[in-house]
Amino acid sequence: MIFINIKVIEEYGPIILSGLNKTAILTVGGFGMGFAFGSILAFTQCFGGRISSRVATAIEESLRSIPLLVLMLLIFFGLPEVGLSLTPVQSAILAIGLRSMAYQSQILRSAILAIPRGQIEAALSLGMTKAQLFTTVIAPQALRIAIPGLVNQFTIDLKDTSIAYAIGVSELFTEAVHVAQVALDYLTPLVFVGAIYFVITFAASSIMSRVYKRIAIPGLGASQ
Amino acid sequence: MSGEILRVDNLWKSYSETPVLRGVSFEVLRGEVKVIMGPSGSGKSTLLRCINLLVRPDKGRISLEGKEVFPKPYDSIHRIRQKIGFVFQSYNLFLHMTVLDNVRVGLIKVKKLSKEEATKRAMEALRIVGIGPELWNKYPAQLSGGQQQRVAIARAIAMEPTIMLMDEPTSALDPELVGEVLNVIRDLAKQKMTMLIVTHELDFALEVADEIMVLDGGKIVERGKPSEILNNPKHPRTRRFIERLRRRVEHGHR
Protein backbone atom coordinates (compact mmCIF):
# COMPACT_ATOMS: atom_id res chain seq x y z
CA MET A 1 0.00 0.00 0.00
CA ILE A 2 1.30 3.41 -0.91
CA PHE A 3 0.61 5.20 2.32
CA ILE A 4 2.25 2.62 4.56
CA ASN A 5 5.97 2.49 4.88
CA ILE A 6 6.89 -1.01 5.98
CA LYS A 7 10.35 0.13 6.98
CA VAL A 8 8.86 2.51 9.57
CA ILE A 9 6.86 -0.35 11.07
CA GLU A 10 9.89 -2.60 11.11
CA GLU A 11 11.99 0.00 12.81
CA TYR A 12 9.51 1.62 15.18
CA GLY A 13 6.78 -1.02 15.54
CA PRO A 14 8.21 -2.37 18.83
CA ILE A 15 8.32 1.13 20.28
CA ILE A 16 4.68 1.72 19.44
CA LEU A 17 3.75 -1.69 20.84
CA SER A 18 5.50 -0.84 24.10
CA GLY A 19 2.55 1.50 24.70
CA LEU A 20 0.21 -1.48 24.84
CA ASN A 21 1.12 -1.98 28.46
CA LYS A 22 -0.25 1.41 29.53
CA THR A 23 -3.23 1.08 27.22
CA ALA A 24 -4.10 -2.19 28.95
CA ILE A 25 -3.69 -0.67 32.40
CA LEU A 26 -5.93 2.30 31.52
CA THR A 27 -8.56 0.09 29.91
CA VAL A 28 -8.75 -2.52 32.63
CA GLY A 29 -8.40 0.02 35.41
CA GLY A 30 -10.96 2.40 33.96
CA PHE A 31 -13.47 -0.25 32.98
CA GLY A 32 -13.01 -2.11 36.26
CA MET A 33 -13.51 1.03 38.28
CA GLY A 34 -16.50 1.89 36.12
CA PHE A 35 -18.03 -1.51 36.75
CA ALA A 36 -17.47 -1.48 40.50
CA PHE A 37 -18.91 1.99 41.04
CA GLY A 38 -21.40 1.72 38.20
CA SER A 39 -22.97 -1.31 39.90
CA ILE A 40 -23.31 0.61 43.14
CA LEU A 41 -24.80 3.57 41.30
CA ALA A 42 -27.27 1.37 39.43
CA PHE A 43 -28.28 -0.46 42.58
CA THR A 44 -28.80 2.86 44.37
CA GLN A 45 -30.92 4.17 41.52
CA CYS A 46 -33.10 1.06 41.51
CA PHE A 47 -33.38 0.27 45.20
CA GLY A 48 -32.17 3.31 47.08
CA GLY A 49 -34.33 5.84 48.83
CA ARG A 50 -35.62 8.87 47.01
CA ILE A 51 -32.76 11.15 47.94
CA SER A 52 -29.93 8.70 47.37
CA SER A 53 -31.30 7.64 44.00
CA ARG A 54 -31.59 11.27 42.94
CA VAL A 55 -28.02 11.92 43.97
CA ALA A 56 -26.93 8.86 41.99
CA THR A 57 -28.82 10.08 38.93
CA ALA A 58 -27.30 13.55 39.25
CA ILE A 59 -23.78 12.08 39.41
CA GLU A 60 -24.48 9.91 36.40
CA GLU A 61 -25.93 12.69 34.28
CA SER A 62 -23.26 15.25 35.04
CA LEU A 63 -20.48 12.80 34.21
CA ARG A 64 -22.16 11.87 30.96
CA SER A 65 -22.36 15.51 29.94
CA ILE A 66 -18.65 16.32 30.19
CA PRO A 67 -16.34 15.38 27.31
CA LEU A 68 -13.76 12.85 28.42
CA LEU A 69 -10.91 15.12 27.37
CA VAL A 70 -12.23 17.95 29.53
CA LEU A 71 -12.80 15.59 32.45
CA MET A 72 -9.28 14.22 32.20
CA LEU A 73 -7.68 17.65 32.02
CA LEU A 74 -9.81 18.84 34.92
CA ILE A 75 -8.65 15.92 37.04
CA PHE A 76 -5.03 16.23 36.04
CA PHE A 77 -4.75 20.01 36.39
CA GLY A 78 -7.60 20.70 38.78
CA LEU A 79 -7.13 18.19 41.58
CA PRO A 80 -3.65 19.48 42.53
CA GLU A 81 -5.37 22.81 43.28
CA VAL A 82 -7.29 21.07 46.06
CA GLY A 83 -4.19 19.28 47.25
CA LEU A 84 -4.60 15.99 45.44
CA SER A 85 -1.89 15.36 42.90
CA LEU A 86 -2.34 12.32 40.72
CA THR A 87 0.13 10.93 38.22
CA PRO A 88 -0.90 11.09 34.57
CA VAL A 89 -1.74 7.37 34.63
CA GLN A 90 -3.84 7.73 37.77
CA SER A 91 -5.62 10.77 36.35
CA ALA A 92 -6.38 8.95 33.12
CA ILE A 93 -7.74 5.88 34.94
CA LEU A 94 -9.89 8.08 37.15
CA ALA A 95 -11.30 10.02 34.20
CA ILE A 96 -11.99 6.94 32.10
CA GLY A 97 -13.34 5.16 35.16
CA LEU A 98 -15.75 7.96 36.09
CA ARG A 99 -17.09 8.27 32.59
CA SER A 100 -17.36 4.49 32.27
CA MET A 101 -19.15 4.37 35.63
CA ALA A 102 -21.80 6.76 34.37
CA TYR A 103 -22.47 4.70 31.26
CA GLN A 104 -22.20 1.31 32.95
CA SER A 105 -24.66 2.37 35.61
CA GLN A 106 -27.14 3.09 32.84
CA ILE A 107 -26.52 -0.26 31.20
CA LEU A 108 -26.85 -2.12 34.51
CA ARG A 109 -29.87 -0.14 35.59
CA SER A 110 -31.82 -0.98 32.47
CA ALA A 111 -30.75 -4.64 32.87
CA ILE A 112 -32.04 -4.69 36.45
CA LEU A 113 -35.29 -3.07 35.35
CA ALA A 114 -35.66 -5.69 32.60
CA ILE A 115 -36.06 -8.43 35.21
CA PRO A 116 -39.78 -9.02 35.65
CA ARG A 117 -41.01 -7.49 38.90
CA GLY A 118 -42.85 -10.72 39.69
CA GLN A 119 -39.60 -12.58 40.24
CA ILE A 120 -38.66 -10.11 42.93
CA GLU A 121 -42.00 -10.70 44.63
CA ALA A 122 -41.48 -14.45 44.32
CA ALA A 123 -38.03 -14.26 45.89
CA LEU A 124 -39.30 -12.14 48.77
CA SER A 125 -42.23 -14.52 49.25
CA LEU A 126 -39.80 -17.39 49.73
CA GLY A 127 -38.36 -15.40 52.61
CA MET A 128 -35.22 -14.10 50.92
CA THR A 129 -33.56 -11.05 52.39
CA LYS A 130 -32.74 -8.13 50.09
CA ALA A 131 -29.13 -9.31 49.91
CA GLN A 132 -30.15 -12.84 48.95
CA LEU A 133 -32.60 -11.45 46.42
CA PHE A 134 -29.80 -9.44 44.86
CA THR A 135 -27.16 -12.16 44.70
CA THR A 136 -29.35 -15.09 43.68
CA VAL A 137 -32.03 -13.52 41.51
CA ILE A 138 -31.13 -10.04 40.30
CA ALA A 139 -27.38 -10.09 39.70
CA PRO A 140 -27.17 -13.33 37.69
CA GLN A 141 -29.93 -12.22 35.35
CA ALA A 142 -29.00 -8.55 35.12
CA LEU A 143 -25.40 -9.43 34.23
CA ARG A 144 -26.49 -11.73 31.45
CA ILE A 145 -28.80 -9.10 30.06
CA ALA A 146 -26.11 -6.42 30.41
CA ILE A 147 -23.25 -8.27 28.71
CA PRO A 148 -23.64 -6.81 25.20
CA GLY A 149 -23.85 -3.29 26.59
CA LEU A 150 -20.89 -3.84 28.89
CA VAL A 151 -18.75 -5.26 26.08
CA ASN A 152 -19.61 -2.24 24.00
CA GLN A 153 -18.58 0.05 26.85
CA PHE A 154 -15.34 -1.91 27.27
CA THR A 155 -14.38 -1.29 23.66
CA ILE A 156 -15.27 2.39 24.01
CA ASP A 157 -13.07 2.64 27.11
CA LEU A 158 -10.28 0.86 25.26
CA LYS A 159 -10.34 3.28 22.35
CA ASP A 160 -10.71 6.30 24.60
CA THR A 161 -7.49 5.50 26.43
CA SER A 162 -5.92 7.33 23.48
CA ILE A 163 -7.23 10.57 24.98
CA ALA A 164 -4.64 10.13 27.74
CA TYR A 165 -2.24 11.42 25.07
CA ALA A 166 -3.34 14.87 26.17
CA ILE A 167 -1.76 14.45 29.60
CA GLY A 168 1.30 12.63 28.38
CA VAL A 169 0.60 9.02 29.29
CA SER A 170 2.84 6.85 27.15
CA GLU A 171 0.11 4.57 25.87
CA LEU A 172 -0.31 3.17 22.39
CA PHE A 173 -1.47 6.32 20.66
CA THR A 174 1.06 8.58 22.37
CA GLU A 175 3.87 6.26 21.31
CA ALA A 176 2.56 6.31 17.76
CA VAL A 177 2.55 10.10 17.68
CA HIS A 178 6.08 10.21 19.07
CA VAL A 179 7.25 7.78 16.44
CA ALA A 180 5.52 9.85 13.80
CA GLN A 181 7.41 12.92 14.89
CA VAL A 182 10.72 11.11 14.84
CA ALA A 183 10.16 9.19 11.62
CA LEU A 184 8.55 12.19 9.92
CA ASP A 185 5.76 9.90 8.77
CA TYR A 186 2.34 10.33 10.30
CA LEU A 187 0.33 7.93 8.24
CA THR A 188 2.19 4.72 8.89
CA PRO A 189 2.17 4.86 12.72
CA LEU A 190 -1.47 5.99 12.75
CA VAL A 191 -2.62 3.22 10.44
CA PHE A 192 -0.58 0.82 12.54
CA VAL A 193 -2.17 1.83 15.88
CA GLY A 194 -5.58 1.99 14.24
CA ALA A 195 -5.11 -1.61 13.19
CA ILE A 196 -4.03 -2.60 16.70
CA TYR A 197 -7.12 -0.99 18.25
CA PHE A 198 -9.23 -2.75 15.68
CA VAL A 199 -7.68 -6.15 16.38
CA ILE A 200 -8.07 -5.85 20.15
CA THR A 201 -11.63 -4.57 19.89
CA PHE A 202 -12.57 -7.27 17.43
CA ALA A 203 -10.98 -9.98 19.56
CA ALA A 204 -12.65 -8.74 22.74
CA SER A 205 -16.04 -8.61 21.05
CA SER A 206 -15.80 -12.08 19.58
CA ILE A 207 -14.54 -13.62 22.81
CA MET A 208 -17.37 -11.99 24.70
CA SER A 209 -19.98 -13.01 22.19
CA ARG A 210 -18.82 -16.59 22.70
CA VAL A 211 -19.03 -16.25 26.45
CA TYR A 212 -22.44 -14.67 25.95
CA LYS A 213 -23.65 -17.67 23.99
CA ARG A 214 -22.16 -20.12 26.43
CA ILE A 215 -23.93 -18.67 29.44
CA ALA A 216 -27.13 -18.04 27.50
CA ILE A 217 -30.29 -19.41 29.04
CA PRO A 218 -33.48 -20.04 27.09
CA GLY A 219 -35.99 -17.28 27.63
CA LEU A 220 -33.52 -14.87 29.16
CA GLY A 221 -32.29 -11.89 27.13
CA ALA A 222 -29.03 -13.67 26.34
CA SER A 223 -30.54 -16.41 24.20
CA GLN A 224 -31.09 -14.51 20.96
CA MET B 1 -54.70 -30.59 64.73
CA SER B 2 -57.22 -27.86 64.42
CA GLY B 3 -56.99 -24.19 65.20
CA GLU B 4 -56.70 -20.85 63.62
CA ILE B 5 -53.94 -20.41 61.08
CA LEU B 6 -54.69 -16.97 59.72
CA ARG B 7 -56.72 -14.13 61.12
CA VAL B 8 -57.24 -10.83 59.35
CA ASP B 9 -58.96 -8.07 61.30
CA ASN B 10 -60.36 -4.88 59.84
CA LEU B 11 -57.67 -4.51 57.20
CA TRP B 12 -57.40 -1.22 55.33
CA LYS B 13 -55.17 -0.23 52.44
CA SER B 14 -55.18 2.74 50.09
CA TYR B 15 -52.98 3.51 47.14
CA SER B 16 -52.45 7.28 47.03
CA GLU B 17 -55.87 8.18 48.43
CA THR B 18 -57.71 5.44 46.51
CA PRO B 19 -59.01 2.92 49.02
CA VAL B 20 -58.45 -0.66 47.90
CA LEU B 21 -59.24 -2.58 51.07
CA ARG B 22 -61.89 -1.18 53.38
CA GLY B 23 -62.05 -3.12 56.59
CA VAL B 24 -61.62 -6.75 55.56
CA SER B 25 -61.90 -9.38 58.29
CA PHE B 26 -61.86 -13.16 58.09
CA GLU B 27 -60.04 -16.19 59.41
CA VAL B 28 -58.70 -19.44 57.97
CA LEU B 29 -58.58 -22.56 60.12
CA ARG B 30 -56.06 -25.34 59.83
CA GLY B 31 -56.77 -27.56 56.83
CA GLU B 32 -59.37 -25.21 55.42
CA VAL B 33 -59.58 -24.02 51.84
CA LYS B 34 -61.09 -20.59 51.42
CA VAL B 35 -61.78 -19.06 48.06
CA ILE B 36 -61.93 -15.35 47.35
CA MET B 37 -63.85 -14.16 44.33
CA GLY B 38 -64.59 -10.70 43.08
CA PRO B 39 -64.45 -8.46 40.04
CA SER B 40 -61.13 -7.05 38.94
CA GLY B 41 -60.10 -4.09 41.04
CA SER B 42 -61.95 -5.41 44.06
CA GLY B 43 -58.72 -5.72 46.06
CA LYS B 44 -58.13 -9.49 45.90
CA SER B 45 -54.46 -9.35 44.93
CA THR B 46 -53.78 -6.53 47.36
CA LEU B 47 -55.37 -8.54 50.14
CA LEU B 48 -53.12 -11.56 49.50
CA ARG B 49 -50.06 -9.34 49.22
CA CYS B 50 -50.89 -7.65 52.50
CA ILE B 51 -50.99 -11.01 54.24
CA ASN B 52 -47.37 -11.85 53.39
CA LEU B 53 -46.37 -8.19 53.72
CA LEU B 54 -45.37 -7.67 50.11
CA VAL B 55 -47.73 -4.74 50.49
CA ARG B 56 -47.85 -2.90 53.78
CA PRO B 57 -51.40 -2.43 55.05
CA ASP B 58 -52.44 0.96 56.42
CA LYS B 59 -54.50 -0.29 59.32
CA GLY B 60 -55.79 -3.47 60.86
CA ARG B 61 -54.32 -6.60 62.28
CA ILE B 62 -52.97 -9.83 60.80
CA SER B 63 -51.92 -12.85 62.78
CA LEU B 64 -50.50 -16.20 61.78
CA GLU B 65 -50.99 -19.18 64.11
CA GLY B 66 -52.05 -16.76 66.81
CA LYS B 67 -48.91 -14.63 66.53
CA GLU B 68 -49.08 -11.07 65.34
CA VAL B 69 -47.67 -10.39 61.88
CA PHE B 70 -48.99 -6.87 61.46
CA PRO B 71 -48.71 -4.19 62.79
CA LYS B 72 -46.06 -5.62 65.16
CA PRO B 73 -44.39 -8.64 63.53
CA TYR B 74 -43.36 -11.25 66.09
CA ASP B 75 -40.29 -12.05 64.01
CA SER B 76 -38.37 -10.62 61.04
CA ILE B 77 -40.52 -10.24 57.94
CA HIS B 78 -38.46 -12.66 55.87
CA ARG B 79 -38.77 -15.36 58.52
CA ILE B 80 -42.52 -14.88 58.63
CA ARG B 81 -42.75 -15.07 54.84
CA GLN B 82 -41.09 -18.50 54.89
CA LYS B 83 -44.26 -19.81 56.49
CA ILE B 84 -46.53 -18.38 53.83
CA GLY B 85 -46.41 -20.01 50.41
CA PHE B 86 -47.38 -17.73 47.54
CA VAL B 87 -48.43 -18.79 44.06
CA PHE B 88 -48.72 -16.03 41.48
CA GLN B 89 -50.94 -15.63 38.47
CA SER B 90 -47.92 -15.30 36.19
CA TYR B 91 -45.89 -18.10 37.88
CA ASN B 92 -42.86 -15.82 38.42
CA LEU B 93 -40.30 -18.59 38.16
CA PHE B 94 -36.65 -17.55 38.20
CA LEU B 95 -35.84 -17.61 34.50
CA HIS B 96 -32.10 -18.22 34.94
CA MET B 97 -32.58 -21.34 37.03
CA THR B 98 -33.52 -24.86 36.07
CA VAL B 99 -36.74 -26.38 37.34
CA LEU B 100 -34.88 -28.15 40.13
CA ASP B 101 -32.97 -25.03 41.14
CA ASN B 102 -36.16 -23.00 41.23
CA VAL B 103 -37.62 -25.40 43.76
CA ARG B 104 -34.54 -25.86 45.92
CA VAL B 105 -33.12 -22.32 45.95
CA GLY B 106 -35.37 -21.30 48.84
CA LEU B 107 -34.44 -24.42 50.79
CA ILE B 108 -30.73 -23.81 50.32
CA LYS B 109 -30.54 -20.02 50.62
CA VAL B 110 -33.37 -19.32 53.01
CA LYS B 111 -33.81 -22.49 55.03
CA LYS B 112 -30.06 -23.22 54.89
CA LEU B 113 -30.56 -26.91 54.19
CA SER B 114 -27.66 -28.91 52.80
CA LYS B 115 -27.68 -29.31 49.04
CA GLU B 116 -28.50 -33.03 49.31
CA GLU B 117 -31.36 -32.51 51.72
CA ALA B 118 -32.72 -29.62 49.63
CA THR B 119 -32.50 -31.66 46.45
CA LYS B 120 -34.33 -34.55 48.08
CA ARG B 121 -37.13 -32.30 49.26
CA ALA B 122 -37.33 -30.47 45.96
CA MET B 123 -37.66 -33.75 44.06
CA GLU B 124 -40.41 -34.81 46.41
CA ALA B 125 -42.29 -31.55 45.86
CA LEU B 126 -41.88 -31.88 42.11
CA ARG B 127 -43.29 -35.40 42.22
CA ILE B 128 -46.29 -34.15 44.15
CA VAL B 129 -47.12 -31.69 41.38
CA GLY B 130 -46.41 -34.28 38.69
CA ILE B 131 -43.28 -32.79 37.18
CA GLY B 132 -41.11 -35.73 36.15
CA PRO B 133 -37.30 -35.98 36.15
CA GLU B 134 -37.16 -35.37 32.40
CA LEU B 135 -38.08 -31.75 33.12
CA TRP B 136 -35.86 -31.10 36.13
CA ASN B 137 -32.99 -29.68 34.13
CA LYS B 138 -35.10 -27.58 31.80
CA TYR B 139 -35.46 -23.83 32.09
CA PRO B 140 -38.86 -22.19 32.69
CA ALA B 141 -39.05 -20.84 29.13
CA GLN B 142 -38.91 -24.43 27.85
CA LEU B 143 -42.04 -25.43 29.76
CA SER B 144 -45.74 -24.91 29.09
CA GLY B 145 -47.65 -22.49 31.28
CA GLY B 146 -49.29 -25.35 33.15
CA GLN B 147 -45.93 -26.95 33.85
CA GLN B 148 -44.47 -23.64 34.97
CA GLN B 149 -47.33 -23.06 37.38
CA ARG B 150 -46.94 -26.57 38.79
CA VAL B 151 -43.23 -25.90 39.35
CA ALA B 152 -44.19 -22.66 41.08
CA ILE B 153 -46.52 -24.62 43.35
CA ALA B 154 -43.73 -27.10 44.06
CA ARG B 155 -41.41 -24.21 44.90
CA ALA B 156 -43.92 -22.98 47.45
CA ILE B 157 -44.82 -26.33 49.05
CA ALA B 158 -41.17 -27.40 49.31
CA MET B 159 -40.80 -24.70 51.96
CA GLU B 160 -43.47 -26.49 54.00
CA PRO B 161 -45.58 -23.39 54.60
CA THR B 162 -48.32 -23.26 57.19
CA ILE B 163 -50.62 -21.66 54.62
CA MET B 164 -50.63 -21.26 50.86
CA LEU B 165 -51.86 -18.10 49.20
CA MET B 166 -52.77 -18.42 45.53
CA ASP B 167 -53.49 -15.40 43.38
CA GLU B 168 -55.55 -16.53 40.38
CA PRO B 169 -53.28 -19.52 39.74
CA THR B 170 -55.00 -20.50 36.49
CA SER B 171 -56.00 -17.14 35.01
CA ALA B 172 -52.92 -16.79 32.82
CA LEU B 173 -53.19 -20.31 31.41
CA ASP B 174 -54.54 -21.51 28.10
CA PRO B 175 -57.89 -23.24 28.71
CA GLU B 176 -56.51 -26.70 27.99
CA LEU B 177 -53.84 -26.29 30.68
CA VAL B 178 -56.12 -25.16 33.49
CA GLY B 179 -57.14 -28.70 34.45
CA GLU B 180 -53.67 -29.98 35.29
CA VAL B 181 -53.03 -27.10 37.67
CA LEU B 182 -56.44 -27.39 39.33
CA ASN B 183 -55.82 -31.11 39.83
CA VAL B 184 -52.64 -30.37 41.73
CA ILE B 185 -54.43 -27.87 43.95
CA ARG B 186 -57.24 -30.37 44.47
CA ASP B 187 -54.67 -32.93 45.66
CA LEU B 188 -53.21 -30.40 48.07
CA ALA B 189 -56.70 -29.75 49.43
CA LYS B 190 -57.21 -33.49 49.94
CA GLN B 191 -54.00 -33.57 51.94
CA LYS B 192 -55.45 -30.85 54.14
CA MET B 193 -53.12 -28.08 53.06
CA THR B 194 -54.44 -24.80 54.42
CA MET B 195 -55.11 -22.52 51.47
CA LEU B 196 -56.48 -19.13 50.59
CA ILE B 197 -57.18 -19.04 46.87
CA VAL B 198 -58.32 -16.26 44.60
CA THR B 199 -60.00 -17.96 41.67
CA HIS B 200 -62.91 -17.64 39.31
CA GLU B 201 -63.14 -21.35 38.54
CA LEU B 202 -66.69 -21.94 39.75
CA ASP B 203 -66.78 -25.75 39.61
CA PHE B 204 -63.43 -25.97 41.26
CA ALA B 205 -64.48 -23.62 44.05
CA LEU B 206 -67.70 -25.54 44.57
CA GLU B 207 -65.69 -28.72 44.95
CA VAL B 208 -62.76 -27.73 47.16
CA ALA B 209 -63.75 -24.61 49.06
CA ASP B 210 -64.96 -24.72 52.63
CA GLU B 211 -66.10 -21.15 52.23
CA ILE B 212 -66.29 -18.57 49.48
CA MET B 213 -65.81 -14.89 50.22
CA VAL B 214 -66.91 -12.35 47.66
CA LEU B 215 -64.86 -9.20 47.65
CA ASP B 216 -66.21 -6.06 46.03
CA GLY B 217 -64.99 -2.50 46.38
CA GLY B 218 -62.50 -3.54 49.05
CA LYS B 219 -65.10 -5.19 51.29
CA ILE B 220 -66.33 -8.71 51.78
CA VAL B 221 -69.91 -8.33 50.58
CA GLU B 222 -70.94 -11.93 51.03
CA ARG B 223 -69.47 -15.12 52.43
CA GLY B 224 -70.71 -18.61 52.98
CA LYS B 225 -70.80 -22.20 51.78
CA PRO B 226 -69.88 -22.53 48.10
CA SER B 227 -73.24 -24.03 47.19
CA GLU B 228 -75.09 -21.11 48.77
CA ILE B 229 -72.93 -18.44 47.21
CA LEU B 230 -72.86 -19.96 43.76
CA ASN B 231 -76.44 -21.18 43.55
CA ASN B 232 -78.28 -18.71 45.68
CA PRO B 233 -76.30 -15.50 46.05
CA LYS B 234 -78.02 -12.95 48.27
CA HIS B 235 -76.16 -9.77 47.47
CA PRO B 236 -77.17 -8.30 44.08
CA ARG B 237 -73.55 -7.58 43.20
CA THR B 238 -72.61 -11.17 43.90
CA ARG B 239 -75.49 -12.36 41.77
CA ARG B 240 -74.42 -10.22 38.82
CA PHE B 241 -70.82 -11.26 39.21
CA ILE B 242 -71.58 -14.99 39.37
CA GLU B 243 -73.90 -14.70 36.37
CA ARG B 244 -71.15 -13.03 34.40
CA LEU B 245 -68.72 -15.80 35.27
CA ARG B 246 -71.29 -18.45 34.26
CA ARG B 247 -71.81 -16.81 30.91
CA ARG B 248 -68.09 -16.72 30.29
CA VAL B 249 -67.82 -20.45 30.95
CA GLU B 250 -70.77 -21.23 28.70
CA HIS B 251 -69.25 -19.25 25.88
CA GLY B 252 -65.99 -21.01 26.35
CA HIS B 253 -64.06 -17.90 27.34
CA ARG B 254 -62.10 -17.91 30.50
Side-chain angles (χ1 to χ4, degrees):
Chain A
M1 278 183 277
I2 33 165
F3 55 88
I4 287 186
N5 186 343
I6 297 292
K7 282 226 174 74
V8 171
I9 294 178
E10 276 171 359
E11 195 176 344
Y12 297 104
I15 296 179
I16 296 177
L17 285 174
S18 72
L20 261 179
N21 187 19
K22 291 270 168 59
T23 296
I25 291 171
L26 297 193
T27 308
V28 173
F31 182 81
M33 178 185 152
F35 182 73
F37 292 101
S39 313
I40 296 172
L41 217 53
F43 188 77
T44 311
Q45 285 178 313
C46 293
F47 303 104
R50 216 170 33 180
I51 294 171
S52 55
S53 70
R54 275 197 192 156
V55 170
T57 306
I59 293 173
E60 178 209 305
E61 293 201 341
S62 49
L63 283 170
R64 281 195 299 121
S65 328
I66 306 172
L68 182 57
L69 179 58
V70 176
L71 187 62
M72 204 178 284
L73 292 175
L74 275 175
I75 287 169
F76 186 60
F77 293 113
L79 286 187
E81 298 288 322
V82 292
L84 183 66
S85 284
L86 296 181
T87 66
V89 169
Q90 289 167 340
S91 306
I93 290 178
L94 183 58
I96 294 167
L98 285 175
R99 212 266 309 251
S100 191
M101 166 185 87
Y103 282 97
Q104 289 194 57
S105 81
Q106 275 208 317
I107 295 164
L108 291 167
R109 181 162 53 107
S110 63
I112 290 173
L113 294 177
I115 299 170
R117 173 86 209 151
Q119 286 188 51
I120 295 171
E121 285 194 323
L124 293 176
S125 297
L126 285 176
M128 285 192 196
T129 59
K130 275 204 171 166
Q132 288 169 334
L133 162 71
F134 186 73
T135 55
T136 58
V137 177
I138 294 177
Q141 295 187 76
L143 282 178
R144 282 189 173 84
I145 296 169
I147 284 176
L150 294 179
V151 172
N152 190 38
Q153 187 58 40
F154 179 83
T155 62
I156 290 172
D157 290 347
L158 165 70
K159 287 171 288 184
D160 282 357
T161 55
S162 58
I163 290 175
Y165 165 72
I167 56 172
V169 177
S170 52
E171 45 68 57
L172 208 50
F173 177 73
T174 309
E175 294 297 345
V177 174
H178 290 165
V179 165
Q181 287 160 346
V182 174
L184 298 177
D185 173 1
Y186 270 85
L187 273 181
T188 305
L190 287 180
V191 169
F192 185 62
V193 286
I196 294 171
Y197 284 119
F198 173 80
V199 169
I200 302 175
T201 305
F202 188 76
S205 305
S206 34
I207 290 170
M208 284 315 290
S209 83
R210 252 188 235 171
V211 171
Y212 189 53
K213 277 186 193 129
R214 174 158 303 178
I215 64 168
I217 284 175
L220 197 70
S223 62
Q224 298 100 14
Chain B
M1 269 203 296
S2 66
E4 190 177 276
I5 295 288
L6 176 71
R7 169 170 286 278
V8 172
D9 266 326
N10 193 27
L11 203 67
W12 289 75
K13 173 70 191 174
S14 303
Y15 287 119
S16 53
E17 306 295 302
T18 312
V20 182
L21 296 177
R22 300 187 297 161
V24 174
S25 305
F26 65 92
E27 67 300 305
V28 183
L29 304 183
R30 191 181 298 277
E32 264 191 333
V33 176
K34 295 221 168 168
V35 161
I36 300 174
M37 290 186 174
S40 59
S42 59
K44 302 166 304 219
S45 293
T46 303
L47 175 59
L48 290 195
R49 279 169 172 73
C50 280
I51 293 170
N52 80 343
L53 303 172
L54 281 176
V55 170
R56 205 186 143 76
D58 297 333
K59 210 169 78 180
R61 195 168 172 278
I62 300 170
S63 57
L64 193 66
E65 297 180 293
K67 287 175 283 188
E68 186 163 311
V69 166
F70 180 85
K72 287 201 196 75
Y74 68 93
D75 200 349
S76 69
I77 288 178
H78 51 269
R79 261 202 293 274
I80 292 172
R81 285 188 186 133
Q82 292 176 34
K83 296 173 169 261
I84 306 173
F86 207 112
V87 174
F88 299 87
Q89 182 175 350
S90 45
Y91 341 126
N92 296 349
L93 293 179
F94 306 126
L95 295 179
H96 62 303
M97 292 183 195
T98 61
V99 164
L100 188 60
D101 283 334
N102 261 283
V103 180
R104 68 183 169 185
V105 66
L107 299 171
I108 294 171
K109 299 280 173 187
V110 177
K111 290 218 158 178
K112 312 280 184 208
L113 294 188
S114 70
K115 199 167 177 187
E116 295 77 51
E117 181 60 25
T119 307
K120 219 173 77 191
R121 273 222 229 162
M123 289 175 172
E124 228 171 83
L126 285 165
R127 282 204 190 90
I128 291 173
V129 300
I131 296 289
E134 71 283 0
L135 296 176
W136 292 352
N137 288 320
K138 297 250 191 248
Y139 288 96
Q142 297 168 308
L143 306 183
S144 73
Q147 289 168 332
Q148 288 191 56
Q149 190 61 298
R150 285 187 284 145
V151 173
I153 293 173
R155 175 173 67 178
I157 60 175
M159 300 290 285
E160 298 182 338
T162 38
I163 184 169
M164 288 275 272
L165 310 179
M166 301 196 180
D167 187 11
E168 303 204 38
T170 59
S171 298
L173 295 172
D174 290 336
E176 75 270 22
L177 301 177
V178 169
E180 61 184 78
V181 171
L182 292 183
N183 281 338
V184 168
I185 303 173
R186 227 173 246 133
D187 285 346
L188 294 179
K190 270 183 211 139
Q191 283 153 35
K192 289 291 159 202
M193 170 77 79
T194 311
M195 291 187 277
L196 180 61
I197 308 173
V198 173
T199 183
H200 292 147
E201 297 290 338
L202 298 178
D203 295 335
F204 170 76
L206 190 63
E207 186 189 330
V208 304
D210 293 295
E211 187 182 46
I212 293 180
M213 300 181 279
V214 181
L215 205 62
D216 191 26
K219 281 183 175 165
I220 295 179
V221 292
E222 189 164 357
R223 57 190 288 185
K225 289 231 172 312
S227 51
E228 285 167 26
I229 301 279
L230 298 182
N231 300 326
N232 189 19
K234 304 217 164 34
H235 199 284
R237 291 190 144 235
T238 314
R239 207 172 305 143
R240 273 205 303 279
F241 174 66
I242 305 273
E243 268 165 23
R244 246 195 347 260
L245 286 181
R246 284 244 158 76
R247 268 204 301 280
R248 266 202 302 185
V249 174
E250 276 161 25
H251 293 155
H253 306 299
R254 282 180 185 274

